[in-house]
Structure formats: structure tokens, C-alpha cells
Amino acid sequence: MFMPLWGDFLTNDGRIVHKWKHYFPAYERHFSKFVNSDVVFLEIGCGRGGSLELWKRYFGPHARIVGIDIDSRCRAFGDGDQIEVRIGDQSDVGFLQSLIDEFGPFDAVLDDGSHVMSHIRASFDFLYPRISRNGVYFVEDLHTAYWDEYEGGLRRKASFIEHCKDLIDELNADHARGEMQPTAFTSSTLSMHFYDSIAVFEKGRTTRKWAPQVGRPD
């Protein structure tokens, strides 16, 4: 029987899951379309292993869950069935490419890794163009974008929040009247969503067409 994520979290008696409660409605909103599908899901940062189990239960028996972490002890979180764990650095593009080579393009990515700005950016820049055509890329714990010890700070250019502000313009580049050129991000991104400490990117738009004119002509 399908159980919403919040209910599953509250009744969890497996490995520890550490999440802010306001994340759960956003998870449901953006990941529910993958439930009971053959989704290939990547979680950056394994924590104590509980969230990998949570995603396995949520997405169902056809899902493939991949977790990555720099801590070799996280290998123990693989279950030999649907959950695979690989050890490596989220900012190492060679490592990230090896994941794509092994598992194919990911349908959804959840970045709950180091929360360091340069690491978030490196993972996003490499993985986002390579996720599936209708994929979802979810970055959480972005309160660190305002903290110096994570390379953040209010309006600090290197923060991922500031990068997101630039991407809003890029999303709308078709309407900039030549002041900026559309990019692959422009043509492939359907929407961007922001919540407290979260940024979500949804793919799905590859063409731009005006809606046909409707109504009686004057």
C-alpha cells in the first residue's frame, strides 16, 4: 500500500533519516510522478543510510536508488537489490561520469551532500544537462548559501543562490530581445521552484511556441 513520505518518515523504524519537515511537501510535489516507475534516482550524500531506504519504499519495486558519499562506511547501506552505493566526491566530474556510465542517465537527483557552494555547483553543472529529458534536480539545505564556512554569504557571487538568480534570466532568455542568447538550459528547462532552503529544477521544455489565437477576430 502506498504511504506518503511524511507518514513513512514518522513510522520509520529502520536506519536514521534526518530531514527538515517542511521538505516533505516539496518532495511529494516534485518526485511523486516517479512513484511505481522504473526511476533511476541519485542521492548525493548518504547520511546514516535511512533516506536511501525511504526512497526505495516511496518509489516502489521498480526503482533503482543510487547513493554517493565520500565516507567509505556508507558502502554498508547498499542492499544488493534496489539500493547501490558508490564512494566518491560529488565535485569530481570523472566520478560523476562513471555513475552515468554505470547506471545510465538519472531521472531525479537529490543533492544532500556537502552543502559547500563549489561542490553543489560542480555537481549541478555536470549532472543537470545529463539527466533525463523530463528529469528533476533537487538541491536542499541551501541555507548554507548564506554561511561563510560553506563558501556562502548574502549576495556572494559564488553562492548557489546567486547562480540560481542568473538562471532565472537564462530560463527566460528567449524574451530578452537579443540581450542574452538562449542556452541549452533555456531550451531544456520547464520550471524552477524555490522554497525555504530548497531549489528545484524541472526539465521538459524543448520547444517554444506561442499558443494559437482564439476568440472572434475584431
Side-chain angles (χ1 to χ4, degrees), residues 74-92:
C74 292
R75 284 197 179 95
F77 302 149
D79 66 0
D81 179 21
Q82 290 176 248
I83 300 174
E84 303 276 359
V85 176
R86 298 293 180 265
I87 305 303
D89 185 335
Q90 74 171 98
S91 64
D92 180 348

Side-chain angles (χ1 to χ4, degrees), residues 9-27:
F9 175 74
L10 291 177
T11 58
N12 174 51
D13 61 358
R15 298 182 188 275
I16 291 175
V17 182
H18 179 72
K19 297 288 186 183
W20 294 101
K21 67 180 182 179
H22 71 275
Y23 288 6
F24 286 84
Y27 290 151

Side-chain angles (χ1 to χ4, degrees), residues 43-197:
E43 183 168 43
I44 300 172
C46 295
R48 300 190 185 183
S51 59
L52 294 172
E53 296 176 340
L54 183 78
W55 297 122
K56 175 182 174 178
R57 293 190 298 269
Y58 178 65
F59 289 122
H62 307 298
R64 193 170 197 186
I65 313 300
V66 181
I68 65 171
D69 206 288
I70 60 171
D71 186 344
S72 62
R73 292 174 294 182
C74 292
R75 284 197 179 95
F77 302 149
D79 66 0
D81 179 21
Q82 290 176 248
I83 300 174
E84 303 276 359
V85 176
R86 298 293 180 265
I87 305 303
D89 185 335
Q90 74 171 98
S91 64
D92 180 348
V93 297
F95 171 62
L96 298 178
Q97 182 62 57
S98 74
L99 298 173
I100 294 172
D101 292 342
E102 181 175 6
F103 299 106
F106 294 101
D107 300 300
V109 176
L110 173 62
D111 187 343
D112 187 19
S114 73
H115 311 312
V116 173
M117 296 300 104
S118 59
H119 298 173
I120 294 171
R121 179 71 185 272
S123 300
F124 179 82
D125 285 354
F126 187 80
L127 289 172
Y128 184 74
R130 294 168 174 82
I131 65 174
S132 63
R133 180 176 177 177
N134 294 303
V136 175
Y137 199 103
F138 194 114
V139 185
E140 65 186 40
D141 291 346
L142 278 176
H143 43 274
T144 62
Y146 301 95
W147 296 353
D148 290 342
E149 62 268 35
Y150 289 87
E151 302 176 357
L154 181 62
R155 298 189 180 88
R156 184 174 179 180
K157 192 63 179 175
S159 87
F160 193 71
I161 290 291
E162 290 303 307
H163 182 52
C164 289
K165 293 176 185 178
D166 291 336
L167 289 176
I168 292 171
D169 289 330
E170 204 166 317
L171 179 67
N172 292 284
D174 282 330
H175 315 296
R177 293 183 169 177
E179 294 202 29
M180 66 183 303
Q181 293 303 308
T183 66
F185 182 88
T186 312
S187 63
S188 66
T189 303
L190 176 66
S191 60
M192 300 168 61
H193 305 258
F194 297 93
Y195 309 82
D196 178 354
S197 304

Side-chain angles (χ1 to χ4, degrees), residues 28-39:
E28 295 272 12
R29 178 176 182 181
H30 298 287
F31 292 148
S32 61
K33 68 180 182 178
F34 298 118
V35 169
N36 290 325
S37 75
D38 58 353
V39 61

